[in-house]
Amino acid sequence: MASLIAKHKPPRAEILGGISALLVWKLAQYERDLRDQLIQAEKLASIGTMASGIAHEINNPLFGITGLSERLEHETRPEIVKEYVQDIMEMSRRIAAIVKDLNVYAHKSSAETRCDIDVNHTIEEAMKMARRACVLDEVKVQTEFSALPPIRANPDELLQVFVNIVTNAVQAMEGQGTLVLTTSSANGSIRATVRDTGPGIPQHLLGKIFDPFFTTKEQGKGTGLGLHIVRDIVIRLGGRVKAESAPGMGACFTVELPVTSG
Ligand code: ADP
């Protein structure tokens, strides 16, 4: 190791040893822990904004279960009882699936765990989360996915990249418009785009949206951390993210990630 460091160090750079090396190492670890905490905090904040959507989604089957149970109390015909019980089981499973998705999203993971990921699958998962967060009934979703080589990343972090971008797009469209999701791969990298038909991003703000705490949303609705975290994760994966927008033409976010192994 020492010879490797000596070979690659710039001529005038000093090699730290002893306490200083330990200090730098500890600082690097502290920085990583802080970054993990920030990602987790933003995740919890986005779950906060999902809460009303979730309440709506859980309420419907819950309402059904309550209604059917009341009817069951007085029902004596075996075939009808069976039918009601099956419906109740189906609705309970739906609630369980919603809760399971949320648990997967909310749980804290270490940035260290990387594995091979199909980005198409991650985008589909992100759409599921966005459906929990916002009303998507009147949003047309178009997907143009290409078969992709796997990329090596932490699945939770990559999910958060697309949850943040897709949720922003849906919120910008205020429940109405078209969301176009495309993926492709070329020259050792994959590219994913999320295009919306919302009001777009004014030119003078395009350079600011990735800054921490920059938000145009009203208090309590936005943390201003979503895109900052998106960029942080993408850069750590060796990729890049850019936003484009022309007045009245909506916004388009492009994420490029290298196909690497190891
Ligand atoms: P937050 O969503 O909490 O405001 P973000 O960092 O995710 O924080 O986004 C920062 C800002 O970027 C948003 O407040 C919004 O002004 C702008 N923005 C992001 N995505 C879009 C989009 N698809 N359309 C219009 N504006 C957007």
Side-chain angles (χ1 to χ4, degrees), residues 168-169 172 196 200-201 209 214-217 222-227 251 253:
N168 275 342
D196 66 64
I201 304 164
I209 55 172
F214 175 82
T215 181
T216 54
K217 295 175 189 168
T223 60
L225 285 172
L227 289 177
F253 283 79

Side-chain angles (χ1 to χ4, degrees), residues 48-227:
T49 63
M50 286 178 193
S52 62
I54 295 158
H56 176 75
E57 234 188 303
I58 290 184
N59 247 343
N60 284 340
L62 207 56
F63 200 63
I65 291 172
T66 315
L68 286 175
S69 311
E70 276 166 8
R71 282 202 240 161
L72 259 182
E73 228 184 340
H74 310 287
E75 186 56 65
T76 50
R77 290 164 298 174
E79 68 284 2
I80 304 287
V81 169
K82 193 169 174 203
E83 195 183 303
Y84 284 179
V85 169
Q86 274 167 350
D87 285 350
I88 288 176
M89 283 189 321
E90 179 53 36
M91 288 185 237
S92 311
R93 274 191 215 109
R94 205 150 84 219
I95 294 177
I98 297 168
V99 173
K100 181 169 157 256
D101 281 350
L102 267 180
N103 270 334
V104 169
Y105 183 62
H107 97 276
K108 191 174 178 306
S109 74
S110 155
E112 301 298 291
T113 46
R114 290 190 175 190
C115 58
D116 286 340
I117 297 174
D118 178 354
V119 172
N120 289 336
H121 175 72
T122 307
I123 297 176
E124 273 162 9
E125 286 294 304
M127 280 307 298
K128 261 201 222 167
M129 299 310 303
R131 279 181 208 283
R132 310 265 184 267
C134 337
V135 180
L136 275 183
D137 301 347
E138 289 185 40
V139 171
K140 210 166 131 206
V141 181
Q142 287 175 6
T143 49
E144 294 158 21
F145 287 171
S146 301
L148 298 177
I151 66 146
R152 205 143 176 92
N154 174 299
D156 285 351
E157 288 191 358
L158 203 61
L159 177 62
Q160 191 160 18
V161 165
F162 290 104
V163 167
N164 289 357
I165 295 177
V166 167
T167 310
N168 275 342
V170 176
Q171 284 176 345
M173 292 190 288
E174 293 183 344
Q176 270 191 336
T178 306
L179 186 67
V180 185
L181 310 165
T182 66
T183 60
S184 60
S185 71
N187 306 325
S189 59
I190 69 114
R191 173 194 283 248
T193 62
V194 177
R195 185 185 292 278
D196 66 64
T197 54
I201 304 164
Q203 212 61 28
H204 70 283
L205 295 184
L206 272 176
K208 293 193 178 149
I209 55 172
F210 292 97
D211 291 349
F213 305 112
F214 175 82
T215 181
T216 54
K217 295 175 189 168
E218 59 191 83
Q219 215 177 0
K221 293 245 163 102
T223 60
L225 285 172
L227 289 177

